[in-house]
Amino acid sequence: GNTAMYVLRTAKRLGADPTCYYRRSREESPARTEELEHAEQEFINFRWLSNPVEFIGDENGFVKGIKCDIMELSEPDSSGRRKPVSTGKQYVDEVDTVVFSLGCDVNPSIADATKDLVVNKWGIIMVDHQTFHTSIKGVFAGGDSVTGGATVILAMGQAKEAAKYIHEY
């Protein structure tokens, strides 16, 4: 996703030669098209249809390799999404550092522990999209808990807007 693109581009700018391993193809990537294009313009390496299954360490416990299943995409399901399926083939690349940049869901403990907080079926907090006021008097929310996975810039913008209404409140 977008966060992975930020991590890859930052690593590149710091002198690394990063590679992105993703189990689907570029077309199924959750990153925005412009984020993918920017990463490609910075010569980021991509290993599409590659699913990491094992990290290989040396005798001192340092990572030295990544083993990946080679994937293929199934026919589209009822939603139109193609599922990655292992081909039974694998490969190993040499690596010296691994950074995880994985998607996340909204933490369900927030809704579980907060009586009267209205969330949708994915656990996303429902708010007034102008004020960011939740279903609980005096409680405001923004960022990924309201949008699902999105950008830091969007979350910061929501925080700035919500701050006005919090101050008014």
Side-chain angles (χ1 to χ4, degrees), residues 45-111:
N45 304 306
F46 288 92
R47 297 292 304 253
W48 303 112
L49 296 168
S50 295
N51 188 35
V53 294
E54 181 182 348
F55 297 112
I56 301 162
D58 65 17
E59 62 280 353
N60 297 312
F62 291 99
V63 67
K64 68 176 189 173
I66 182 171
K67 183 187 289 185
C68 294
D69 281 347
I70 298 172
M71 309 300 281
E72 62 186 9
L73 297 174
S74 68
E75 292 301 314
D77 63 16
S78 60
S79 71
R81 187 138 195 212
R82 299 174 70 188
K83 181 179 176 181
V85 179
S86 178
T87 63
K89 298 176 186 169
Q90 295 182 320
Y91 67 89
V92 176
D93 279 351
E94 285 187 27
V95 298
D96 59 17
T97 304
V98 175
V99 177
F100 289 93
S101 184
L102 305 172
C104 298
D105 293 326
V106 176
N107 187 335
S109 65
I110 295 169

Side-chain angles (χ1 to χ4, degrees), residues 117 125-147 154-166:
L117 183 65
I125 299 171
M126 303 306 294
V127 298
D128 175 310
H129 287 286
Q130 181 180 351
T131 66
F132 299 95
H133 200 204
T134 69
S135 55
I136 301 173
K137 184 177 178 181
V139 176
F140 297 78
D144 289 358
S145 66
V146 169
T147 60
L154 180 61
M156 290 172 62
Q158 289 177 346
K160 186 175 179 180
E161 287 299 309
K164 292 182 212 175
Y165 292 100
I166 292 167

Side-chain angles (χ1 to χ4, degrees), residues 110-118 135-136:
I110 295 169
D112 293 344
T114 312
K115 185 179 178 197
D116 300 327
L117 183 65
V118 176
S135 55
I136 301 173

